Amino acid sequence: MSTKGGVTALTRRNYRLASDVDKPRSTGIVNEKLLSDYLHHVFPSTKQGPTVASLRKPLGFQDLGSHLEKLLAEGEAPEALRDPFAEGRLGPQPVVLDHTSGFEGLLFVDDDLLGVIGHSNFSSIRATTCVFKGKWAYEVLISSQGLMQIGWCTLSCRFNQEEGVGDTPDSYAYDGNRVRKWNVTTTNYGKSWAAGDIVSCLIDLDEGTITFCLNGQSLGTAFGGIKTGPGVAYFPAISLSFKESVAFNFGSRPLRYPADGYLPLQDPPTADLLKAHRLLGCIKNVLSTSIDAQDEKLLEKDSAAWRLHGEPTVLIALAHIFNHFAPLMCKVYLVEDVLMNFLLGILEGGGSVDEHPLIQQLLDLFWLLMEDHEVNECLKQLMMSLLRAYRFSPIIPDLGFQIHYLRLTTAILRHEKSRKYLLNNVTFDVLRSVVFFYIKTPLRVKEAGLEELIPTTWWPTHFDKEGKDEREPKDESSDERLRRRAYERGCQRLKKRIEVVEDLQVQILKLLLNNKDKTTGEASRYIFLNKFRKFLQENASNRGQHPTALCPPEYMVCFLHRLITAVRSSWDEGSRKFPSSLSSEDAYVPPQLFYNGKVDYFDLQRLGGLLSHLKKTLKDDLASKANIVIDPAEIQAASMDDLDEDEESGAAQRPFGAAAMGGALARPSWLSSPTLGRANRFLSTAAVSLMTPRRPLSQPEKVKVRTLAVEQRTEEDIEGSHGNDGLLLGRPQEEPDQPIADKSLLEIVDGIVMMYNLSVHQQLGKMVVVADEVHEYAVALKDTEEKIARCPARRADILEELHKSQKVFAEKLNHLSRRLAWINATIYSKEKMLDVYWLLCVCIRTIEHADNTASLFAFTPEFYLNVAMNAYSALKNYFSPANSMDELPGYEETLTQLAAILAKHFADPRIVGTDIKDSLMQALASYVCYPQSLRAVERIPEEQRVAMMRNLLAPYEQRPWAQTNWILVRLWRGCGFGYRYTRLPHLLKTKPEDANLPSLQKPCPSLLLQRHMAELLSLDKDMAASFLNSVLNQLNWAFSEFIGMIQEIQQAAERPERNFVDTRQLKVCATCFDLSVSLLRVLEMTVSLVPEIFLDWTRPSAELLLRRLAQLLNQVLNRVTAEKNLFDRVVNLRLPGLESVDHYPILVAVTGILVRVLVDGDAQGTSRAASVLLSDPCFQLHSIQHLLGEPGDSSGSSAACRPAAAAPLAPAAAGSSSERKHFSLHAYADYISLEEKQKVEDMLEFLTEESKQAAASTAPTSEEDLCPICYAHSISAVFRPCSHKSCKACINQHLMNNKDCFFCKATITGVEDYSKPPPS
């Protein structure tokens, strides 16, 4: 006897069979006859018939060994008759992939030489064994559904990066990605495959045929008459593209779908199977038999009630069985075929897992009677077999297979010692894909039984003008309502079945999060936490470097939701015990986790930059605010480590990373994270000495903290003890001294946020494509039905084609609507939406608490801000229309909190990362596009609103300005001249790519924020001048770039040879145009809200700003309205990519500015504006007249002033016609009000009169008196000390950027007014 881990164990090393002398002691209360009967019952011979018990030879423990040997030898084939090589097959056993010479390209092959991942364009590999006669089969487990060709090839086939299996003679392949078969040529064949499917490859060399099956269903004979005969043998082979992965089963495990008459390439272990089944039969006999020593008889009992009570007779009998059974249970084939099926059979009766304690008893028995290495290998193989079975089981209506395998997994993990072994050595180490928490989406609806669950399908049939679905259309017919409700009931049935699987998955995670099971060492939760952190590290570090090592994002989504449910359950369970702690509803991650060094964030970026930089620059703040002291020598060591790291190559780091990761099995070097070496070295060298928070009237107590690698941390390092705060060491004074939750749960929540940032959000966005497809097909079907209704009866040919299209669209919608029901239940359900909303609230609260720490906010990882923005985006864009955000609890308050974060941090100097700053700006820009979120911005405190507007009005030269400008434009849209449109008039007939884009939302101006802007610009004259100068500079640049680009486009279009304009150039050109329009709108907004900036010449820069504004407006008008101009020609080309380039948006923006300064102002202001505009040398009155159309239109006074030689120009809204018309505001009655049109006519009349008066009063000026710079104005300023002269406009504009004289480069110290002396 020996003791292992607190459990008494009978090992075979110490086991000794009882002798005659020992017999009475060892049998205890069981007499010889009863013992003999018991042993004969447990170990029955298969050769003996039902003999009378009195005639049987007595059997005792001293004879049991030989009896069992004979029993196991019965039926076994003699050694001489065993044929290691079956006829028709050549090659070694076991069959594996030929990783030495039978491959082409770059591939990653698993340790067992059965799994393979493509790592180049098109890689190929074959097996080590070939067949030349007979009927053979093997299976391929599809892990990814991309481009692969699976089948058979001969040794003579030569593959390369372009040609693989099926592309050469004597090679044959099936491709479920493109649904084709390949043998030099290709034809349609089979069905499309999906991840989780199993492809069976069958070859009949007697008949010369090759057949493929998908999940056990034959796809029909793919090839017949294949080449056979002497010298021809076929190898299993595959070609696969980059990142695609599969696993082969040549017979090392039982085939999932064996085909009648076909043999697996690898022989099953027949002898061992026979032994294992017999020994299992003996175990079942022990479980179902009890000894009644009092009545000296054997009793039959229910094996489910069996308990391990330590009876010597039973234990010794079991020890003999396990002497033979234990070594067999280390073999994967036997574990899967014998043990797993036996354990599954125990659970077949139904009921909860708790109602089947026999599995717990059996696992106790395994740990008692098997060697450690045997039980470890057995459990590992059992878990791997369960994982494969779960992952590659077909979807059936009741999800029975998935439930079956999850129930057994739960039962095994309920056993404490087994759970801890699996956590330490298997889960996350070998099962890196967290497959047990994934529910795959069926690609083939019919096979998944969704037609039975959802017999009635429905899709939206009512759309608004912009093509969006109407949630509750008023004109829905009774039939449509009945269909919709029947569909919703089917969706609910499906959802309930999926919830059964999800509940089992949550149960598994709750077992892994158990922190009370400390009887056999460290609690499960702390093992899980360290493994989970390592899992995140690998996925964060390998992103972009080794994509094949990443957990698939679709698995991450399911894992995230189950983990949130399990963590919140554990959190609330703890808060019920300690009422003073927070509930999970108010969860957040305290800021000290980000800077006290207890949690490793790998190389993820912090808001303030690199961690080593922050420790150097903020070490004083850490000491004063959080009592954390960092030794300068350690900072130096960390800095040198960073320098060394930059010089090292990735190849040099990988072995270190691999060694650091460890684990029960050696992993391929390609799975090692290149950054692990850095992380571990940093953790081992940058020891940070921390102090607990100061207490009144006592000296700070220094605490030395062990800086350990993730996998070395213990419960004490995480939870703390005896005054040590564990993960929460270094609490800042601003952070409340209140228990939050178990510290381990805080780190798991932090990991959940990181996981969402890594890949979950992107996957949520990808799955929306199914809903988009339903929408597109529904629109197409409705359009087809309308065409059928309009089609004349005499056109039977057209009608027939339309009916065909209608049928195709309806079939596709039937399929997609059922698939969408599955996706809505598994990914976009109300419960999943609440999970993402909870995550958003966690991030908001975490950011608010971190923000309170002032400079220490810089330590916060960037991904918290990213997740806050992305989670809100997902709730708004991905979960609707199935679920509405308005129904979320506390939604309005959460919107306001997020608005406050965006408003405060988009210009926060503590945030240095360019990408995160851009993301914040874009999020704020999107926020102000929607009425509900814009109202949230208006609800934040006034001080924050004013600060936000001040940051938006900072000069554009100092930062990226396009998004800032866009925000200001959105605040104005709906108030400007002709600026109430959602889409440009000329684009109304075209379908928008995405009607949900922020730019396509209805105008929702903010008068409150406009008022703040007006107050800021009015009161702060310097800021107003610098802001407007920067806007004018950017407008000058954007419009000049736009004109230059359309010149190049026009020249390319006029060339006689066929040519194509670069799409990127077209996109940049359109962007410059859109920027010009938006900058003009900001100028319109400014001149409308604060006209005195331009018209009150007591302000120092007013006149200069007005002159610059007039100059730019004239430039725009002249370029856009000139006769037969470049702008017209490019607009008429209607090039794809230049759809937004049109007369309307830019001309109405200019008109809005002109109307405001020339019509809406006071008399003095309009007079000044008119004089400045008319004095600009670029001013042309016919550019203003152009706005109201050509002569003959009802254009009022403009008709009399228009030049007679006006040439026809391209239309803006009327479309193409033989007779081109001028642009005219009269053509846009739906967009421009009568009042606005009247103002334009008044403006034209006023300018006409002013220009006549100016022409009459202007005396001729000699060339000598004109400014030598612009030749537009008279000389009016003299420079000191050099005495050179120019007009005031030129010198004022020049002095904004340069202090040197135009002519002599002397430094200008002053500018004085100049007036020409009278002639003598």
Side-chain angles (χ1 to χ4, degrees):
M1 304 279 285
S2 65
T3 301
K4 297 184 289 183
V7 178
T8 303
L10 274 168
T11 70
R12 292 192 301 284
R13 288 191 299 272
N14 299 327
Y15 179 70
R16 182 170 60 87
L17 295 179
S19 65
D20 289 336
V21 180
D22 300 329
K23 185 168 53 176
R25 275 188 292 119
S26 65
T27 56
I29 59 174
V30 179
N31 63 41
E32 290 183 6
K33 180 179 180 305
L34 187 57
L35 175 63
S36 177
D37 290 345
Y38 177 74
L39 294 179
H40 274 297
H41 179 76
V42 171
F43 304 98
S45 173
T46 57
K47 288 186 176 180
Q48 293 177 351
T51 57
V52 182
S54 58
L55 301 178
R56 267 192 321 222
K57 181 182 176 183
L59 182 62
F61 283 133
Q62 66 272 27
D63 307 317
L64 183 56
S66 58
H67 175 78
L68 189 52
E69 295 276 359
K70 290 176 185 174
L71 187 67
L72 294 177
E74 289 174 6
E76 192 173 330
E79 191 73 31
L81 298 178
R82 293 182 194 167
D83 182 9
F85 299 104
E87 188 179 1
R89 182 182 62 198
L90 288 174
Q93 295 280 309
V95 184
V96 293
L97 295 172
D98 188 350
H99 66 294
T100 55
S101 59
F103 67 93
E104 171 64 37
L106 182 59
L107 302 125
F108 294 136
V109 181
D110 288 353
D111 289 343
D112 60 5
L113 301 180
L114 293 174
V116 62
I117 303 174
H119 203 64
S120 58
N121 184 39
F122 202 48
S123 312
S124 303
I125 191 168
R126 65 172 183 261
T128 54
T129 296
C130 62
V131 291
F132 59 89
K133 183 181 175 182
K135 299 164 75 173
W136 303 92
Y138 71 94
E139 289 180 344
V140 182
L141 285 62
I142 306 294
S143 301
S144 62
Q145 63 189 52
L147 180 59
M148 295 180 281
Q149 292 172 200
I150 301 170
W152 304 85
C153 73
T154 64
L155 196 60
S156 61
C157 294
R158 293 289 177 265
F159 304 129
N160 54 43
Q161 292 288 302
E162 303 298 329
E163 294 183 333
V165 181
D167 296 326
T168 63
D170 300 332
S171 67
Y172 304 88
Y174 160 51
D175 173 4
N177 177 259
R178 292 173 288 190
V179 197
R180 304 184 77 81
K181 59 181 180 181
W182 297 80
N183 174 232
V184 183
T185 59
T186 178
T187 53
N188 292 335
Y189 174 78
K191 301 175 183 176
S192 60
W193 60 35
D197 285 341
I198 296 179
V199 174
S200 304
C201 303
L202 315 177
I203 188 168
D204 184 345
L205 290 158
D206 300 330
E207 297 293 331
T209 61
I210 290 177
T211 305
F212 296 96
C213 303
L214 190 62
N215 295 330
Q217 294 185 352
S218 175
L219 302 176
T221 302
F223 304 100
I226 64 171
K227 184 178 177 182
T228 57
V232 179
Y234 288 92
F235 291 83
I238 184 173
S239 298
L240 63 175
S241 55
F242 182 65
K243 287 203 301 185
E244 304 304 333
S245 59
V246 298
F248 285 84
N249 181 12
F250 298 114
S252 58
R253 302 183 302 276
L255 293 182
R256 187 65 181 272
Y257 302 106
D260 289 341
Y262 288 84
L263 297 174
L265 263 75
Q266 182 172 324
D267 291 329
T270 312
D272 286 344
L273 266 175
L274 188 63
K275 288 180 184 177
H277 279 296
R278 284 183 179 169
L279 290 166
L280 183 62
C282 297
I283 293 173
K284 289 178 181 177
N285 290 337
V286 171
L287 301 180
S288 61
T289 307
S290 64
I291 304 172
D292 186 345
Q294 190 172 355
D295 295 339
E296 296 187 354
K297 64 179 181 180
L298 304 179
L299 299 175
E300 292 288 330
K301 65 173 184 178
D302 182 7
S303 60
W306 186 82
R307 296 291 181 274
L308 180 61
H309 292 307
E311 300 171 40
T313 305
V314 176
L315 278 177
I316 295 172
L318 284 169
H320 276 87
I321 296 172
F322 273 85
N323 201 38
H324 298 275
F325 189 66
L328 295 176
M329 288 301 102
C330 297
K331 299 178 180 180
V332 59
Y333 195 107
L334 302 177
V335 168
E336 192 163 318
D337 191 61
V338 179
L339 180 62
M340 187 173 84
N341 288 331
F342 168 57
L343 296 177
L344 286 169
I346 294 173
L347 296 174
E348 271 180 356
S352 70
V353 177
D354 300 348
E355 296 170 15
H356 298 280
L358 178 58
I359 291 179
Q360 307 297 305
Q361 297 292 316
L362 288 171
L363 289 170
D364 280 339
L365 203 57
F366 277 37
W367 285 102
L368 181 69
L369 298 177
M370 292 171 72
E371 297 282 8
D372 279 353
H373 71 88
E374 290 171 342
V375 73
N376 291 347
E377 184 64 18
C378 176
L379 282 172
K380 180 189 146 190
Q381 294 298 349
L382 178 58
M383 197 56 68
M384 295 293 282
S385 296
L386 278 170
L387 177 138
R388 274 190 298 268
Y390 175 80
R391 185 180 184 187
F392 294 101
S393 290
I395 297 288
I396 56 175
D398 64 353
L399 296 166
F401 290 124
Q402 285 74 15
I403 292 170
H404 206 36
Y405 298 123
L406 284 175
R407 278 164 54 80
L408 179 52
T409 305
T410 309
I412 293 168
L413 291 174
R414 287 179 65 81
H415 189 263
E416 182 179 325
K417 193 170 183 182
S418 302
R419 176 172 68 247
K420 290 184 180 178
Y421 166 73
L422 290 169
L423 258 176
N424 268 314
N425 301 285
V426 180
T427 310
F428 292 110
D429 277 352
V430 179
L431 313 183
R432 296 185 181 277
S433 300
V434 291
V435 176
F436 280 122
F437 309 110
Y438 174 53
I439 302 177
K440 63 183 178 183
T441 304
L443 199 61
R444 295 172 300 279
V445 167
K446 189 172 183 179
E447 291 174 23
L450 293 188
E451 289 181 355
E452 303 166 28
L453 271 178
I454 310 173
T456 306
T457 56
W458 174 86
W459 50 84
T461 54
H462 297 265
F463 310 98
D464 59 19
K465 292 179 181 178
E466 295 175 359
K468 296 180 182 177
D469 305 345
E470 292 183 6
R471 284 197 73 187
E472 294 180 0
K474 297 174 184 176
D475 56 343
E476 186 180 38
S477 68
S478 57
D479 286 346
E480 288 175 332
R481 192 178 301 109
L482 285 172
R483 272 187 63 202
R484 177 167 58 81
R485 289 175 179 172
Y487 175 72
E488 288 170 354
R489 285 195 297 273
C491 293
Q492 280 301 115
R493 285 194 295 271
L494 173 65
K495 186 181 174 187
K496 284 179 181 176
R497 299 193 178 189
I498 288 173
E499 283 173 352
V500 175
V501 176
E502 292 177 346
D503 289 345
L504 283 168
Q505 293 169 330
V506 171
Q507 279 184 44
I508 291 174
L509 276 170
K510 285 181 179 177
L511 289 169
L512 302 184
L513 291 177
N514 187 343
N515 66 337
K516 302 290 187 284
D517 54 346
K518 301 176 185 177
T519 55
T520 56
E522 192 176 16
S524 297
R525 181 186 295 175
Y526 305 106
I527 307 171
F528 172 82
L529 175 56
N530 291 336
K531 296 291 181 182
F532 176 54
R533 205 75 197 177
K534 198 166 138 188
F535 167 79
L536 291 173
Q537 182 175 14
E538 290 170 7
N539 279 273
S541 304
N542 283 317
R543 195 154 298 278
Q545 298 177 33
H546 292 303
T548 50
L550 301 179
C551 175
E554 58 269 25
Y555 293 15
M556 283 277 210
V557 172
C558 295
F559 183 39
L560 176 110
H561 287 299
R562 306 309 170 266
L563 193 53
I564 287 175
T565 306
V567 165
R568 291 193 66 180
S569 172
S570 298
W571 186 305
D572 289 334
E573 188 181 324
S575 66
R576 283 192 291 271
K577 294 179 182 175
F578 303 99
S580 62
S581 62
L582 293 177
S583 72
S584 68
E585 202 61 47
D586 303 313
Y588 72 95
V589 178
Q592 52 265 48
L593 258 72
F594 307 142
Y595 56 73
N596 66 14
K598 288 285 192 173
V599 177
D600 183 11
Y601 287 98
F602 331 128
D603 287 335
L604 296 177
Q605 190 78 2
R606 309 298 182 102
L607 292 177
L610 292 173
L611 182 62
S612 55
H613 167 74
L614 292 175
K615 284 187 173 181
K616 283 187 285 186
T617 55
L618 296 178
K619 62 179 184 294
D620 295 337
D621 291 343
L622 282 170
S624 61
K625 295 179 180 179
N627 293 327
I628 293 180
V629 179
I630 301 178
D631 188 343
E634 290 160 1
I635 296 177
Q636 179 73 19
S639 303
M640 293 303 295
D641 188 61
D642 285 343
L643 289 173
D644 293 343
E645 194 65 33
D646 293 337
E647 294 168 7
E648 290 176 9
S649 67
Q653 295 170 28
R654 268 186 215 107
F656 192 96
M661 292 168 72
L665 287 176
R667 296 176 65 221
S669 61
W670 59 274
L671 277 178
S672 302
S673 165
T675 59
L676 279 177
R678 176 176 189 164
N680 281 309
R681 184 153 60 254
F682 175 77
L683 286 168
S684 60
T685 56
V688 181
S689 75
L690 307 173
M691 295 187 293
T692 54
R694 291 189 176 90
R695 297 182 179 84
L697 304 175
S698 63
Q699 290 290 341
E701 181 185 353
K702 292 186 178 181
V703 179
K704 288 188 177 181
V705 179
R706 291 179 296 160
T707 52
L708 301 172
V710 170
E711 59 270 17
Q712 294 176 312
R713 296 186 307 170
T714 62
E715 179 182 348
E716 186 177 337
D717 296 318
I718 296 167
E719 299 291 357
S721 62
H722 307 298
N724 170 15
D725 285 337
L727 291 183
L728 298 187
L729 206 60
R731 181 176 63 84
Q733 296 167 356
E734 298 84 359
E735 185 66 15
D737 188 9
Q738 172 193 6
I740 303 173
D742 289 343
K743 299 176 181 70
S744 51
L745 291 178
L746 293 175
E747 187 174 345
I748 294 174
V749 170
D750 175 77
I752 291 171
V753 177
M754 189 191 300
M755 189 161 59
Y756 185 91
N757 184 61
L758 287 175
S759 60
V760 171
H761 181 72
Q762 294 89 323
Q763 183 64 17
L764 288 177
K766 284 179 186 175
M767 298 308 290
V768 178
V769 71
V770 178
D772 293 342
E773 283 182 10
V774 169
H775 175 84
E776 288 173 11
Y777 277 104
V779 171
L781 179 62
K782 188 171 185 182
D783 183 49
T784 306
E785 289 170 346
E786 290 172 356
K787 287 178 181 176
I788 290 172
R790 295 196 306 266
C791 183
R794 66 179 184 275
R795 296 305 306 268
D797 53 338
I798 296 177
L799 207 57
E800 184 183 356
E801 290 300 320
L802 287 172
H803 280 300
K804 284 181 183 176
S805 299
Q806 183 187 28
K807 184 180 178 184
V808 169
F809 292 148
E811 286 176 358
K812 191 72 178 175
L813 278 166
N814 279 325
H815 169 83
L816 286 173
S817 62
R818 291 186 175 104
R819 191 154 178 254
L820 182 62
W822 183 282
I823 290 171
N824 283 340
T826 54
I827 297 175
Y828 298 123
S829 68
K830 180 72 174 178
E831 293 74 18
K832 311 298 184 299
M833 189 179 192
L834 287 169
D835 285 346
V836 176
Y837 181 61
W838 178 79
L839 209 54
L840 168 64
C841 295
V842 166
C843 289
I844 288 174
R845 284 188 287 268
T846 300
I847 293 165
E848 288 174 343
H849 280 265
D851 183 36
N852 293 335
T853 62
S855 59
L856 299 185
F857 178 65
F859 283 95
T860 308
E862 279 186 359
F863 63 77
Y864 273 90
L865 274 174
N866 276 324
V867 170
M869 294 182 284
N870 288 335
Y872 166 71
S873 172
L875 291 169
K876 183 163 62 71
N877 298 320
Y878 302 157
F879 286 88
S880 61
N883 298 290
S884 172
M885 283 186 74
D886 301 337
E887 300 168 5
L888 294 169
Y891 170 60
E892 294 286 337
E893 183 186 351
T894 303
L895 268 186
T896 307
Q897 290 175 308
L898 182 58
I901 287 172
L902 296 175
K904 179 171 185 179
H905 297 301
F906 83 92
D908 192 335
R910 295 172 294 180
I911 299 175
V912 300
T914 307
D915 290 343
I916 188 66
K917 287 165 83 172
D918 286 348
S919 297
L920 285 164
M921 187 73 78
Q922 289 169 16
L924 184 59
S926 173
Y927 223 69
V928 298
C929 290
Y930 300 88
Q932 200 169 22
S933 49
L934 179 60
R935 300 291 90 84
V937 176
E938 293 177 341
R939 286 196 300 270
I940 66 177
E942 182 176 356
E943 182 184 349
Q944 291 184 21
R945 293 198 306 268
V946 173
M948 178 187 80
M949 293 308 297
R950 186 181 295 278
N951 286 323
L952 289 172
L953 296 174
Y956 282 8
E957 282 87 352
Q958 300 173 10
R959 59 198 168 87
W961 53 270
Q963 287 291 348
T964 304
N965 199 74
W966 168 246
I967 294 171
L968 294 175
V969 167
R970 287 302 308 192
L971 299 179
W972 177 245
R973 190 173 185 174
C975 296
F977 183 92
Y979 201 33
R980 292 170 292 279
Y981 56 81
T982 302
R983 298 187 67 208
L984 289 170
H986 69 286
L987 293 179
L988 277 182
K989 292 183 180 179
T990 62
K991 182 185 173 186
E993 289 184 11
D994 183 359
N996 293 318
L997 287 173
S999 58
L1000 296 178
Q1001 303 311 305
K1002 293 179 180 178
C1004 51
S1006 172
L1007 300 179
L1008 176 62
L1009 297 178
Q1010 288 177 25
R1011 192 178 76 234
H1012 290 324
M1013 176 179 172
E1015 290 168 355
L1016 286 168
L1017 292 176
S1018 179
L1019 297 174
D1020 193 333
K1021 297 179 180 179
D1022 292 338
M1023 183 183 75
S1026 61
F1027 167 69
L1028 281 169
N1029 271 315
S1030 66
V1031 173
L1032 292 167
N1033 287 343
Q1034 301 302 343
L1035 174 59
N1036 185 38
W1037 168 83
F1039 191 71
S1040 301
E1041 286 291 312
F1042 168 70
I1043 294 298
M1045 287 185 180
I1046 63 173
Q1047 284 175 342
E1048 294 177 15
I1049 292 167
Q1050 174 63 20
Q1051 289 166 6
E1054 288 177 346
R1055 293 192 191 111
E1057 68 272 12
R1058 183 176 177 81
N1059 56 78
F1060 299 94
V1061 183
D1062 181 20
T1063 53
R1064 183 175 174 278
Q1065 185 182 8
L1066 291 173
K1067 189 174 180 181
V1068 173
C1069 179
T1071 303
C1072 287
F1073 179 79
D1074 293 340
L1075 288 175
S1076 302
V1077 172
S1078 65
L1079 288 161
L1080 283 166
R1081 287 296 183 182
V1082 168
L1083 288 170
E1084 180 194 16
M1085 179 183 184
T1086 309
V1087 80
S1088 299
L1089 296 173
V1090 202
E1092 61 267 25
I1093 292 179
F1094 294 97
L1095 302 178
D1096 180 5
W1097 286 8
T1098 60
R1099 295 173 74 108
S1101 304
E1103 183 181 357
L1104 172 62
L1105 290 172
L1106 185 58
R1107 290 188 185 282
R1108 291 195 66 197
L1109 178 65
Q1111 180 185 358
L1112 281 168
L1113 294 180
N1114 282 325
Q1115 179 189 350
V1116 172
L1117 279 171
N1118 293 342
R1119 290 285 191 176
V1120 176
T1121 63
E1123 299 170 12
K1124 295 183 180 178
N1125 67 22
L1126 177 67
F1127 187 86
D1128 263 344
R1129 292 198 295 273
V1130 170
V1131 167
N1132 291 334
L1133 289 173
R1134 292 299 178 202
L1135 295 171
L1138 291 185
E1139 292 87 357
S1140 64
V1141 178
D1142 194 72
H1143 295 77
Y1144 181 85
I1146 196 162
L1147 287 181
V1148 291
V1150 172
T1151 306
I1153 298 172
L1154 291 173
V1155 165
R1156 184 64 190 83
V1157 298
L1158 295 171
V1159 178
D1160 292 342
D1162 55 28
Q1164 185 184 27
T1166 55
S1167 174
R1168 285 175 177 171
S1171 65
V1172 168
L1173 190 68
L1174 294 172
S1175 65
D1176 187 87
C1178 298
F1179 175 75
Q1180 296 179 21
L1181 186 61
H1182 73 79
S1183 294
I1184 309 294
Q1185 295 166 341
H1186 182 281
L1187 299 173
L1188 291 173
E1190 56 190 351
D1193 281 352
S1194 58
S1195 54
S1197 62
S1198 63
C1201 308
R1202 182 172 304 284
L1209 296 175
S1216 58
S1217 65
S1218 57
E1219 195 174 318
R1220 296 282 181 185
K1221 294 181 180 179
H1222 272 300
F1223 170 86
S1224 171
L1225 293 178
H1226 292 297
Y1228 298 92
D1230 293 340
Y1231 295 87
I1232 297 173
S1233 66
L1234 292 173
E1235 182 188 358
E1236 288 173 333
K1237 288 179 190 171
Q1238 186 58 49
K1239 286 183 178 181
V1240 178
E1241 292 178 0
D1242 294 346
M1243 175 185 73
L1244 185 56
E1245 187 176 349
F1246 172 66
L1247 282 176
T1248 304
E1249 189 61 33
E1250 287 289 314
S1251 63
K1252 288 178 182 177
Q1253 293 180 11
S1257 63
T1258 303
T1261 305
S1262 68
E1263 191 173 327
E1264 293 179 357
D1265 296 334
L1266 290 174
C1267 169
I1269 306 300
C1270 65
Y1271 286 96
H1273 307 291
S1274 299
I1275 293 174
S1276 56
V1278 59
F1279 317 155
R1280 297 294 180 225
C1282 61
S1283 299
H1284 287 108
K1285 304 176 187 70
S1286 77
C1287 67
K1288 284 184 178 178
C1290 286
I1291 187 59
N1292 285 341
Q1293 188 166 344
H1294 177 69
L1295 288 176
M1296 288 169 56
N1297 302 310
N1298 201 325
K1299 301 299 181 185
D1300 295 342
C1301 173
F1302 286 113
F1303 308 101
C1304 64
K1305 301 299 179 186
T1307 301
I1308 297 173
T1309 58
V1311 178
E1312 298 175 1
D1313 290 344
Y1314 171 81
S1315 57
K1316 184 179 178 182
S1320 53

